[in-house]
Amino acid sequence: MLTRYCLVLTPDRSCRTRPEWAYHLYAALLERAPAAFGVQVHEGSISPVSQYLDRRGGKLIWSVTLLGAEAEAALGPPLEEGEPFYLEKEGILLRPAKVEQNQIASPEELLLRAAGAGRHVLCFRTPAAFKSRGHYQILPTARLILQSLIQKWNGCFPGCPIEDEDGQGMEAMAAGLVCSRFQLHDQVYFLKGSAVPGFVGTMTLDNRLSGFHRELAGALLTFAGFAGVGIKTSLGMGGVTHHTER
């Protein structure tokens, strides 16, 4: 199960907002969760939370996806209660108001949502990046996107993992996802005193696969709109919106 919350945040004074505030919001949210959950998050290899902050239609939107029942139990209540979040470093109080809640009960529901879609549009709303052999990769490819999403999928749906020990399934899917349009540019994300290189913009992938590979690739790309893409999605990077075109 995964649940996405979208909240409008209203600052208590006029200010210039930054996507990096998402990191501080995440820390504040974890402080309201049971202590055992915070320990689990820091010790786990895959975070059960993906979240990011951006502006849409003049409003400051905080999108938080809880990947799994444990995350929902721990963080759902503090997100629902509507208590303000105080960003100490900036000296700003943010008052939340929930505007949307979207839940996916099972992997099968993702397969149904993607059924029949031949074209997937990914909009990277906060800087996204990948890491390979200790180096940042800021040129997205279908292979890097799928690799990231499969890892997140297996962390979110341990009862229904994508098993691909030799990587041939992922390679086959990547070969059948063709980039037909893109409008991307580089943008850094400032995190813990460091500038992490990344990219933002839109990318359109045409699904030219057939059979189950087509269905699974579509479900994974739909999943991107919940889980994000790339590294540090729990800290505000790699925030993605997704829609399809027939």
Side-chain angles (χ1 to χ4, degrees):
M1 181 179 72
L2 56 89
T3 307
R4 180 179 60 206
Y5 293 85
C6 290
L7 299 93
V8 174
L9 301 181
T10 304
D12 63 345
R13 61 180 174 82
S14 178
C15 59
R16 180 181 178 183
T17 61
R18 297 190 58 84
E20 290 85 359
W21 286 6
Y23 170 65
H24 302 295
L25 284 165
Y26 175 61
L29 180 61
L30 285 184
E31 288 179 357
R32 301 181 184 183
F37 180 78
V39 172
Q40 175 188 334
V41 166
H42 291 300
E43 291 182 349
S45 58
I46 303 294
S47 174
V49 181
S50 176
Q51 56 90 28
Y52 66 95
L53 188 68
D54 73 329
R55 279 201 168 273
R56 285 176 247 170
K59 295 181 179 180
L60 186 62
I61 306 294
W62 187 28
S63 301
V64 185
T65 301
L66 308 178
L67 306 169
E70 291 185 5
E72 172 65 28
L75 299 180
L79 286 169
E80 290 278 2
E81 66 188 11
E83 290 296 318
F85 290 90
Y86 181 68
L87 303 185
E88 185 173 354
K89 184 178 179 181
E90 291 79 13
I92 292 171
L93 191 72
L94 297 171
R95 301 186 183 278
K98 188 175 73 172
V99 293
E100 179 188 336
Q101 182 176 334
N102 196 341
Q103 191 169 78
I104 299 291
S106 67
E108 290 76 17
E109 189 171 338
L110 285 167
L111 288 165
L112 287 173
R113 288 197 180 198
R119 178 167 287 176
H120 296 260
V121 182
L122 301 178
C123 179
F124 300 92
R125 306 198 67 90
T126 59
F130 308 93
K131 205 165 188 181
S132 176
R133 298 178 181 177
H135 298 284
Y136 292 112
Q137 306 290 328
I138 62 168
L139 292 175
T141 64
R143 182 182 180 278
L144 287 171
I145 290 171
L146 287 177
Q147 189 175 45
S148 169
L149 291 172
I150 289 172
Q151 185 182 41
K152 295 176 188 298
W153 177 290
N154 289 346
C156 180
F157 302 116
C160 186
I162 297 172
E163 298 179 350
D164 185 30
E165 292 183 4
D166 60 6
Q168 294 304 305
M170 182 186 69
E171 295 294 347
M173 285 191 292
L177 293 176
V178 178
C179 180
S180 58
R181 293 195 301 265
F182 67 91
Q183 189 173 10
L184 302 167
H185 64 87
D186 60 294
Q187 183 174 316
V188 300
Y189 189 82
F190 293 98
L191 186 63
K192 302 178 182 179
S194 299
V196 181
F199 63 90
V200 294
T202 60
M203 182 178 189
T204 301
L205 294 170
D206 291 348
N207 189 344
R208 299 182 181 176
L209 296 159
S210 60
F212 182 66
H213 276 166
R214 178 183 177 87
E215 294 177 5
L216 182 56
L220 283 166
L221 293 173
T222 302
F223 180 59
F226 293 87
V229 170
I231 61 172
K232 305 182 188 301
T233 51
S234 64
L235 305 183
M237 291 188 67
V240 170
T241 56
H242 162 273
H243 70 269
T244 61
E245 297 176 356
R246 301 289 174 175

